[in-house]
Amino acid sequence: MPLSQTQLATYARDGYILLSGLIPDNIANTAEQAMWDCMQAQPDDRATWPDGNYAQGHDRAEIIACYTDDFLQAAAELCGDPLDSTKAPGGALAINIFPSQAPWQTPSPHIDHAIKEHGHKVFPRPFRVATMIFLNDVAERGGGTAVWPGSHRQIEALARSDEERYEDMWGLNQDLAQADLRKPLVLTPRRGDVLFYDYLCAHAGSGNISPQPRLALNYKW
Ligand SMILES: O=C(O)CCC(=O)C(=O)O
Ligand SMILES: [Fe+2]
């Protein structure tokens, strides 16, 4: 079992957990190189970098290699489902945040699967756990993911307060201001760290005013 009782309790309390160094450095490093290749860009030549942020699905073997047995076991334990429910995914969504000139500000929270046209319902949960695999070191204000500790419980309480009104993830996401969320934590993960978050965990991408892009892979079960 890769996760301790303390880690499981932390996830239950906070609605997310950052597991440091879950992906071995050589695997994360090789995935990062593949990511640059996918973007047809070179890390040491800014002129080749994409304009703005980069969100794109990829299925290169070097990227899929991040789904190690330890990673999949951790995901399965956090899902609360049997292991075979988390067979290695066939790809990942790259979410890369490139440096920008915009003044840095605390981002606004959202929950995932909240696009109106997709019509996802709040209950039963449309997915169990989401993951962000960080492929490089993230500096302060370098585009780390922001998370709102305990927000999954507050947002669940909001949803339960009026299940008719908050039938859809979209409507619930519209009303997060009603959930009285605490202050967010803006993570500064390192290469190989993995964030797991609950489907009702409020989170956000954040601005990057560091010299380096933030490279990460997103997947949901
Ligand atoms: O880029 C991040 O850190 C978070 C992205 C995110 O929340 C999303 O794409 O839904
Ligand atoms: Fe999100």
Side-chain angles (χ1 to χ4, degrees):
M1 254 198 26
L3 297 181
S4 67
Q5 287 306 314
T6 308
Q7 287 172 316
L8 291 171
T10 298
Y11 181 77
R13 182 195 64 200
D14 295 340
Y16 69 88
I17 191 166
L18 183 71
L19 297 181
S20 293
L22 182 62
I23 311 300
D25 203 51
N26 61 323
I27 293 179
N29 191 37
T30 303
E32 185 195 348
Q33 303 318 312
M35 178 61 64
W36 281 104
D37 216 38
C38 289
M39 295 190 291
Q40 298 180 300
Q42 280 92 50
D44 53 4
D45 182 1
R46 291 184 73 113
T48 65
W49 292 6
D51 250 350
N53 293 336
Y54 175 96
Q56 183 83 48
H58 287 297
D59 62 359
R60 286 262 297 253
E62 301 95 319
I63 286 173
I64 289 176
C66 290
Y67 300 130
T68 61
D69 288 348
D70 281 353
F71 170 89
L72 293 171
Q73 273 199 44
E77 285 180 20
L78 296 171
C79 279
D81 273 353
L83 246 184
D84 67 348
S85 65
T86 54
K87 283 199 274 294
L93 176 67
I95 305 180
N96 301 334
I97 302 180
F98 279 81
S100 96
Q101 305 291 329
W104 195 92
Q105 51 186 14
T106 304
S108 300
H110 71 265
I111 49 176
D112 288 342
H113 274 40
I115 293 170
K116 188 173 192 185
E117 293 69 33
H118 294 179
H120 289 293
K121 304 290 177 225
V122 177
F123 305 115
R125 57 186 179 174
F127 66 93
R128 291 160 291 184
V129 66
T131 179
M132 294 282 291
I133 300 173
F134 297 97
L135 297 182
N136 62 349
D137 294 347
V138 181
E140 201 77 38
R141 302 193 169 182
T145 307
V147 284
W148 274 257
S151 56
H152 65 315
R153 295 277 175 252
Q154 295 173 293
I155 295 169
E156 183 179 351
L158 177 66
R160 298 272 186 216
S161 73
D162 191 340
E163 290 196 21
E164 214 164 296
R165 174 169 177 182
Y166 298 124
E167 190 187 358
D168 290 346
M169 292 291 281
W170 173 79
L172 186 57
N173 186 51
Q174 292 288 105
D175 251 14
L176 290 191
Q178 305 301 319
D180 203 18
L181 302 182
R182 300 181 206 118
K183 275 204 167 113
L185 218 82
V186 184
L187 303 173
T188 50
R190 301 188 67 78
R191 182 206 310 283
D193 291 359
V194 179
L195 170 69
F196 290 96
Y197 60 92
D198 182 88
Y199 88 107
L200 290 179
C201 172
H203 65 279
S206 68
N208 182 357
I209 56 170
S210 84
Q212 293 301 324
R214 193 294 307 268
L215 307 178
L217 304 171
N218 182 272
Y219 190 80
K220 297 178 182 75
W221 281 271

